[in-house]
Amino acid sequence: MTYDKPLPNRDTLNQPFWAAAAQGRLLLQHCPACGDRRFPPTPVCPQCLAGDQDWVEASGQGTLESWIDMHRAYWDGFKDELPYRVCLVRLQEGPVMVSNLVDNADNPRLGASVRVVFDKVTDTVTLPKFTLT
Ligand SMILES: [Zn+2]
């Protein structure tokens, strides 16, 4: 069975993020100089312009900032899953991620607690998604 949904563009900058996701860990890029944590990663720190950046593991906990149910399949791969849920999650560490909310509960409450879950969609790609806690 082939996976016919969009896959993330992986490059040398974000490779640590995807490698960790494949191991069930959620990483954020971190600036050792000023402590900024972010996703997606950037070549230099947007706060202090330091070039040496590393990675730290996130708790995987966050709050639901927004969500929508997609009722139209812009890619054929989503046709059989309509409606599917897209969400914005503010991680406990601060950064906001766009992802999928795997729960189909009616009207999830904004500000609800969520935690990351990992969906291995291909042999090489595991997507972080979120579920209500
Ligand atoms: Zn910095």
Side-chain angles (χ1 to χ4, degrees):
M1 187 169 169
T2 57
Y3 184 78
D4 57 356
K5 298 173 186 166
L7 289 169
N9 290 323
R10 291 176 294 160
D11 57 28
T12 55
L13 187 61
N14 65 31
Q15 191 280 337
F17 177 86
W18 296 111
Q23 300 169 346
R25 299 183 305 127
L26 186 68
L27 295 188
L28 296 173
Q29 195 183 38
H30 168 256
C31 178
C34 76
D36 185 59
R37 289 176 285 192
R38 77 193 73 87
F39 182 84
T42 56
V44 299
C45 175
Q47 300 301 319
C48 74
L49 302 181
D52 291 331
Q53 303 294 291
D54 60 19
W55 294 85
V56 293
E57 188 162 352
S59 66
Q61 308 292 317
T63 56
L64 187 61
E65 290 242 320
S66 186
W67 60 270
I68 60 166
D69 284 336
M70 296 292 288
H71 292 274
R72 180 174 175 179
Y74 292 96
W75 287 272
D76 286 346
F78 289 102
K79 282 192 302 196
D80 295 335
E81 295 180 15
L82 294 175
Y84 64 93
R85 193 159 277 174
V86 177
C87 64
L88 287 180
V89 168
R90 181 166 301 276
L91 297 173
Q92 199 170 63
E93 293 81 5
V96 174
M97 294 186 77
V98 178
S99 184
N100 292 112
L101 189 64
V102 297
D103 306 88
N104 54 12
D106 287 340
N107 296 318
R109 179 179 54 83
L110 298 184
S113 294
V114 294
R115 68 175 169 80
V116 71
V117 293
F118 293 92
D119 185 6
K120 181 176 175 151
V121 298
T122 73
D123 286 343
T124 58
V125 176
T126 299
L127 300 175
K129 298 183 177 180
F130 288 87
T131 187
L132 298 167
T133 61

